[in-house]
Amino acid sequence: MTDTPTQLFIGGAWVDAADGATMPVDDPATGEIIAHVADAGPKDARLAEEAAVRAQEEWARTAPRARSEILRRAYEIILDRTDELAHLMTSEMGKPLAEARGEVAYAAEFFRWFSEEAVRIDGGGGILPDGRNRMLLSRRPVGPCLLITPWNFPLAMGTRKIGPAIAAGCTMILKPAPQTPLSSLALTAILKEAGLPDGVLNVVTTSRAGEVCEPLLRGGRIRKLSFTGSTAVGRLLLAQSAEAVVRTSMELGGNAPFIVFEDADLDKAVDGAMLAKMRNMGEACTAANRFFVHHSVAEEFGRRLAERMGALVIGPGTRDGVDVGPLIDRTGRAKVEELVADAVERGARVLVGGRTPEGPGCFYPPTVLADVDAGSRLMDTEIFGPVAAILTFDHEDEVIRRANDTPWGLVGYVFTEGLDRALRVSERLEVGMVGLNTGLVSNPAAPFGGVKQSGLGREGGRVGIDEFLEYQYLAVPVG
Ligand code: NAP
């Protein structure tokens, strides 16, 4: 967008960082710098915190319908600007324009969903069992929140947190990832245009995440942390949140198993694999990381998947007809290269891809590896790239045990035509979400989240707003 803001947003005003610092944002397809944005430090964080704390009381008293209508207006503006937002996202993050447009729609949908939830915050109550007392229950906003988002879905990870926070009546500070601040700043401008009062949303873009966030978490005035990112950083933030007993929601990493049984419809399984693996170039927490395929169909599944993956067009996301954009940066690509090299050293066969192309940009080709050794590093590391690693299995119990043999538990995918098996296996997988004969689970109306070290709490769905609300119980004697 030609007029995308590049400053911090504090108390309803666009401002420079207190020390004047800026940081570059580059295009991963070319390596060229496309903008400089304000680089906040601890002083800016304090100002943002003051603005959020100051605005909290009045915002909590705002009529739910008014909060709902701000979200609804923002939803409509986002959709009207789909093309501009998609171009902006592609330029800072790399995903192909068609996927960026899809993310804009997905991101907007969280605002529509939570505009509908804002007016359905219920309480409860009744006569207590002793007959002498009654209780009145109300639900109140938890208070000022810190929202920390990753770079892989620059708009949707923001709206998935901002939407319920606004609906619940919380004020907030958003800290987007430094690779993709522009989408968040454009979103902020839209919320201002939609009538969000000053101080409700404050945005600090920064390259100094630790210095900016730690004092906020330990300070005692931020009452809620909603974080999406890696398990390692989530663990650190949980420790920091413990001091002031900050309530937390954690959407962390995954290591999704993708299981194809011998009775699966292989057309469906390959379609599902393309979605579960290649959405966002594999840079998704929901990405299938370990393909367990029954030995009787593994050769055929691998052949068909390699054919589909090999036909994808790689290039800058802004170019027509491109299916696979660059990875986010050179570090991300180097990690993928190392994981593939390790698997190959341990005996994996490269069915397609596996070779980094020459030239500028952080491109990596769609890759399928067969006969992957279970001890390969990519079995217990999020690949975060377009690499499908196939292992074989013989029995149902065995594959369930191997699928669950990981500290993560975000999502699993199961492909079988047998109803009993589908339900039995899904119920035994230690994950928060299952794609049954489908490679896509994300939907704003469904509760998204994981178990084990994939996170705490859920985003979206009917329960998404609960993360931003507290109960208050009033004890009232029956007169
Ligand atoms: P990351 O390195 O954990 O960073 C996520 C966010 O945390 C960024 O904004 C980052 O800023 C910030 N951060 C890092 N250290 C921090 C600190 N000490 N204090 C405060 N903030 C800090 O993860 P990523 O590489 O951007 O994103 C990929 C990860 O996110 C993957 O593991 C993926 O599975 C996960 N993810 C999960 C979900 C889900 O819903 N479960 C969705 C999307 C992504 P800096 O970069 O400046 O450090």
Side-chain angles (χ1 to χ4, degrees):
M1 292 190 345
T2 43
D3 50 357
T4 305
T6 54
Q7 291 169 293
L8 311 178
F9 188 66
I10 298 179
W14 295 103
V15 293
D16 290 328
D19 61 6
T22 61
M23 58 181 187
V25 182
D26 62 25
D27 177 345
T30 61
E32 281 164 21
I33 294 177
I34 53 170
H36 285 88
V37 302
D39 187 357
K43 185 165 179 207
D44 304 297
R46 262 198 315 281
L47 294 172
E49 181 187 46
E50 270 161 33
V53 170
R54 212 179 312 120
Q56 179 59 65
E57 200 178 338
E58 193 178 334
W59 178 238
R61 280 201 306 267
T62 308
R65 178 67 71 197
R67 301 201 298 266
S68 162
E69 281 172 0
I70 292 168
L71 284 172
R72 178 71 201 199
R73 275 196 294 278
Y75 157 76
E76 278 161 11
I77 301 173
I78 294 173
L79 287 189
D80 281 350
R81 298 200 189 142
T82 296
D83 260 8
E84 288 167 72
L85 288 165
H87 272 92
L88 186 67
M89 191 189 301
T90 294
S91 69
E92 65 176 351
M93 190 275 166
K95 68 181 74 183
L97 270 180
E99 283 203 52
R101 286 193 191 97
E103 185 183 335
V104 173
Y106 174 54
E109 206 54 52
F110 283 104
F111 278 2
R112 176 157 72 165
W113 176 262
F114 285 108
S115 78
E116 291 157 354
E117 292 301 293
V119 291
R120 317 233 182 282
I121 299 169
D122 55 5
I127 305 291
L128 291 171
D130 62 19
R132 294 191 298 277
N133 291 288
R134 59 166 72 86
M135 69 172 171
L136 297 178
L137 293 181
S138 61
R139 304 185 78 198
R140 296 141 48 111
V142 64
C145 304
L146 174 61
L147 315 177
I148 302 179
T149 52
W151 47 263
N152 59 346
F153 292 95
L155 211 56
M157 295 302 97
T159 57
R160 201 161 80 171
K161 299 182 188 306
I162 296 169
I166 289 180
C170 295
T171 62
M172 67 209 92
I173 302 170
L174 170 69
K175 192 216 81 66
Q179 296 93 334
T180 56
L182 298 172
S183 298
S184 298
L185 293 169
L187 177 67
T188 304
I190 288 173
L191 280 161
K192 186 173 167 66
E193 190 180 332
L196 193 69
D198 294 350
V200 173
L201 169 66
N202 304 277
V203 184
V204 288
T205 49
T206 182
S207 65
R208 299 172 268 178
E211 281 175 61
V212 162
C213 296
E214 189 170 353
L216 295 174
L217 291 174
R218 293 191 191 274
R221 300 211 289 174
I222 292 297
R223 297 307 322 141
K224 162 93 197 174
L225 166 66
S226 178
F227 171 74
T228 297
S230 60
T231 297
V233 173
R235 210 176 276 131
L236 178 82
L237 298 178
L238 277 169
Q240 293 175 4
S241 302
E243 190 169 315
V245 195
V246 174
R247 197 164 147 194
T248 58
S249 301
M250 294 275 151
E251 293 290 348
L252 307 177
N255 185 12
F258 186 105
I259 305 173
V260 183
F261 284 98
E262 64 276 26
D263 63 349
D265 175 331
L266 279 197
D267 290 333
K268 273 191 216 162
V270 173
D271 284 349
M274 292 302 290
L275 258 180
K277 184 71 250 181
M278 292 308 296
R279 178 169 177 242
N280 226 37
M281 290 85 70
E283 294 171 316
C285 54
T286 50
N289 214 55
R290 300 168 293 156
F291 287 81
F292 295 106
V293 185
H294 191 268
H295 73 267
S296 63
V297 291
E299 202 58 39
E300 177 65 8
F301 176 82
R303 191 189 60 73
R304 290 204 211 172
L305 184 61
E307 199 175 288
R308 291 278 293 276
M309 295 274 268
L312 296 175
V313 178
I314 314 173
T318 44
R319 198 182 286 162
D320 275 350
V322 161
D323 303 301
V324 186
L327 297 183
I328 189 67
D329 53 29
R330 288 188 177 264
T331 317
R333 181 172 72 177
K335 176 180 146 191
V336 175
E337 288 168 338
E338 283 165 27
L339 291 173
V340 171
D342 170 75
V344 170
E345 251 170 53
R346 293 170 197 260
R349 274 186 299 137
V350 180
L351 299 188
V352 71
R355 230 174 247 278
T356 303
E358 301 280 318
C362 305
F363 295 96
Y364 193 84
T367 297
V368 180
L369 304 176
D371 302 333
V372 172
D373 183 80
S376 305
R377 281 179 49 212
L378 43 63
M379 287 298 106
D380 59 8
T381 312
E382 267 188 301
I383 302 171
F384 248 56
V387 177
I390 303 177
L391 300 93
T392 58
F393 71 92
D394 294 316
H395 303 295
E396 190 179 302
D397 280 345
E398 171 212 340
V399 76
I400 293 170
R401 181 181 47 72
R402 289 167 68 189
N404 287 338
D405 185 19
T406 167
W408 290 283
L410 188 62
V411 61
Y413 303 93
V414 178
F415 284 77
T416 171
E417 291 296 292
L419 179 62
D420 287 352
R421 169 179 271 168
L423 297 177
R424 191 169 62 231
V425 173
S426 301
E427 286 165 9
R428 288 181 65 193
L429 285 180
E430 297 168 354
V431 291
M433 302 175 287
V434 176
L436 204 45
N437 292 323
T438 175
L440 182 70
V441 295
S442 307
N443 189 303
F448 187 102
V451 300
K452 293 159 81 177
Q453 295 188 29
S454 286
L456 301 168
R458 294 291 181 270
E459 289 190 321
R462 294 293 306 277
V463 296
I465 197 169
D466 295 349
E467 304 280 329
F468 294 87
L469 291 167
E470 302 270 27
Y471 274 103
Q472 190 183 49
Y473 150 54
L474 251 67
V476 188
V478 174

